[in-house]
Amino acid sequence: MSLVAGTLVAVLGVLGPGAGALAATTGGQGSLGLSPTVLVFKQALRGQQYSRDLFLVNGGQAAQRFSLATAGPVAQWLSVVPMTGPTVPLRSVLARPAATTTVRLVLRVPAKAANGTYTGRVVVESEVAKGRGGASPVGFALPVEVTAHVTGTEVLAGRLVDAYTYPKVEVGSPVTFFARVHNAGNVAINPLVRVSVTRGRDVVYRHSFTSGPVAPSALSLLHFNWPGSATQGEALGTYHAEVTASFATLKLGAKTMDLQLVPYGSLHRGGKLLGLKLLNHPQVGYSAEVQAMVRSRGEVQQETSFVGQLYRDGVLVAGVRSPAPVLLAPGQGSVMNIPVPVAKNGLYRISGTANFGGAQSNLQTLTFRVGAAPLGLVFMVGAGAAVVVVVALLVLLALLLRRHRRRPPQPQVRPVHLQAPYTPSRGPSLRVPPGARTGTGPGRTGERLRRG
């Protein structure tokens, strides 16, 4: 099973069968998983606000932007907002590949709406770029069908779904209790949570906590601490805890659990620095926004921070540290944004580790450049060699042209008189100029003399 399919199945498993849908291009170049695709707000009280979470899974190979639009009679009542930050309605959302992106759908029922059933939809559609080479762009979309049953009668309902804590906690460390409360009514509630811790028959800790409001039809995770100062003097061993929740006269339920207090320092600490990422395009005089992604692998809650060094062109500039640590539960992941001042252009390098409650993680390095890149040494040597070759060729060409213009004089060739060869029928003879005396010299008897 692919990562995308596995993620989508995991989402559907949480929300129930038939709650999600999948759309894709005909060529298989992109896909969208959406869950849920049907939302029903029962007993929606006039003047109240309701919300649901939407899960988008981008099945493509690259980040994809999806537009968000509303339609139908309740279109004006609906908006899609981010999970954190200002609740400004979103027109689109950027989904990373092979990852789940969560947004929140908000329904605001007007105070003067009449009782009845209202419908509408939210359409999530892929934004496609213009086709290349005459190809037509292909997109895909999925709707979320929304139904609201508006009433004027308040309904109080809810329950404590679950409560738990870490099975082992070091003495002197806080014990964190978690409670999941589901508000099944149509008005917001502020649950009152009571925690009681006993050892044998003795009550060692008891306290009541008030949480923030839980929206209608919403599921909220609440957490409360047994302070570390209170556990400092307690004996090692097993403790029993009970968590109860209520709102006014509404009893939400109770849950029980066991935990152990162990010696300080006996539980494993540590984690992994998953990577460093540059979030912006830094310029001189501003800051580079660096994000460190971490995950805890310890057995205790750990204050986690990033510690590293900043280099520019290979020279150490300063130390780098995250502005504030994050508190990570065992197995929990998070991100830390680190502003890095940029004073000059150059090649920057950040190398560092994450500190998990005193335990150091693996080393990660991020490199980025500010300003134009200088000419490399190899390029400069190559350019110099090319200039030398061009100059040599020009000098050689000039010499050749000069030689061609001033050609040296040709030497005079004197005629050479060759002696006639001897023949078998004719012996050697001597030609004597006219008037010359002739005679027979020594050793020349018998030779004929001819006058030429």
Side-chain angles (χ1 to χ4, degrees):
M1 179 182 293
S2 67
L3 176 61
V4 175
T7 305
L8 182 59
V9 170
V11 172
L12 298 185
V14 174
L15 297 173
L22 179 68
T25 59
T26 54
Q29 297 178 355
S31 63
L32 165 66
L34 180 62
S35 182
T37 56
V38 176
L39 289 175
V40 179
F41 295 90
K42 298 179 180 179
Q43 298 176 336
L45 188 64
R46 286 190 292 271
Q48 290 290 321
Q49 176 177 303
Y50 306 89
S51 63
R52 293 286 194 280
D53 292 344
L54 298 180
F55 303 92
L56 285 72
V57 179
N58 175 14
Q61 300 298 320
Q64 174 73 45
R65 182 166 293 279
F66 297 95
S67 62
L68 306 169
T70 59
V74 296
Q76 300 298 323
W77 303 1
L78 298 173
S79 62
V80 180
V81 299
M83 296 296 296
T84 58
T87 57
V88 179
L90 297 172
R91 299 298 180 186
S92 64
V93 61
L94 183 65
R96 294 178 300 168
T100 301
T101 301
T102 307
V103 293
R104 180 157 292 168
L105 174 65
V106 178
L107 171 70
R108 295 180 178 86
V109 182
K112 296 183 178 180
N115 288 355
T117 300
Y118 300 83
T119 61
R121 71 183 61 87
V122 176
V123 180
V124 182
E125 184 176 4
S126 64
E127 294 184 359
V128 295
K130 295 181 179 180
R132 297 181 179 179
S136 299
V138 179
F140 44 90
L142 284 175
V144 180
E145 302 294 340
V146 181
T147 301
H149 301 286
V150 178
T151 180
T153 304
E154 288 190 359
V155 176
L156 286 178
R159 66 187 182 98
L160 178 62
V161 178
D162 193 13
Y164 55 91
T165 186
Y166 302 116
K168 294 182 179 181
V169 180
E170 293 178 345
V171 170
S173 299
V175 179
T176 303
F177 296 94
F178 299 90
R180 289 198 302 159
V181 176
H182 178 227
N183 181 5
N186 60 2
V187 294
I189 62 175
N190 292 75
L192 177 67
V193 180
R194 296 179 176 87
V195 177
S196 177
V197 181
T198 59
R199 178 174 171 83
R201 295 183 179 180
D202 299 328
V203 178
V204 297
Y205 181 75
R206 179 178 292 166
H207 197 77
S208 297
F209 303 90
T210 55
S211 67
V214 180
S217 303
L219 180 65
S220 294
L221 179 63
L222 315 175
H223 55 89
F224 317 94
N225 284 338
W226 177 12
S229 58
T231 66
Q232 182 68 48
E234 297 297 335
L236 303 178
T238 302
Y239 291 78
H240 183 76
E242 181 180 31
V243 177
T244 60
S246 62
F247 173 70
T249 59
L250 177 65
K251 304 298 181 180
L252 299 176
K255 299 290 180 181
T256 60
M257 68 213 72
D258 291 332
L259 63 103
Q260 281 187 322
L261 288 182
V262 298
Y264 184 83
S266 62
L267 297 181
H268 171 69
R269 288 167 171 79
K272 186 174 182 180
L273 177 58
L274 302 178
L276 300 175
K277 182 180 180 181
L278 183 64
L279 300 180
N280 65 342
H281 299 284
Q283 298 178 357
V284 174
Y286 297 89
S287 294
E289 295 296 329
V290 177
Q291 186 178 80
M293 294 159 283
V294 295
R295 182 170 295 279
S296 171
R297 292 183 174 178
E299 298 178 289
V300 296
Q301 295 188 65
Q302 303 173 109
E303 285 194 351
T304 305
S305 58
F306 174 81
V307 180
Q309 299 80 37
L310 175 65
Y311 297 84
R312 182 177 64 244
D313 296 329
V315 178
L316 178 63
V317 176
V320 177
R321 189 180 183 90
S322 53
V326 294
L327 184 62
L328 295 182
Q332 184 181 9
S334 184
V335 296
M336 295 177 288
N337 291 336
I338 309 161
V340 179
V342 175
K344 298 180 180 179
N345 288 335
L347 181 63
Y348 285 82
R349 185 178 82 249
I350 297 177
S351 297
T353 61
N355 186 292
F356 292 88
Q360 185 171 301
S361 75
N362 56 305
L363 179 71
Q364 290 283 358
T365 299
L366 171 68
T367 303
F368 61 93
R369 179 173 294 281
V370 178
L375 295 177
L377 178 60
V378 175
F379 178 81
M380 294 177 66
V381 172
V387 170
V388 171
V389 171
V390 171
V391 171
L393 291 176
L394 292 176
V395 172
L396 180 60
L397 181 61
L399 291 175
L400 292 176
L401 291 175
R402 183 178 180 183
R403 185 176 181 182
H404 179 72
R405 292 173 181 174
R406 299 181 60 185
R407 181 172 299 176
Q410 298 295 331
Q412 295 182 358
V413 181
R414 296 181 178 181
V416 179
H417 298 278
L418 299 178
Q419 185 176 357
Y422 298 109
T423 60
S425 60
R426 180 179 176 182
S429 62
L430 177 64
R431 294 180 183 274
V432 181
R437 295 179 63 184
T438 61
T440 302
R444 290 288 183 175
T445 59
E447 291 185 357
R448 297 179 302 173
L449 300 176
R450 295 180 58 189
R451 295 183 183 272

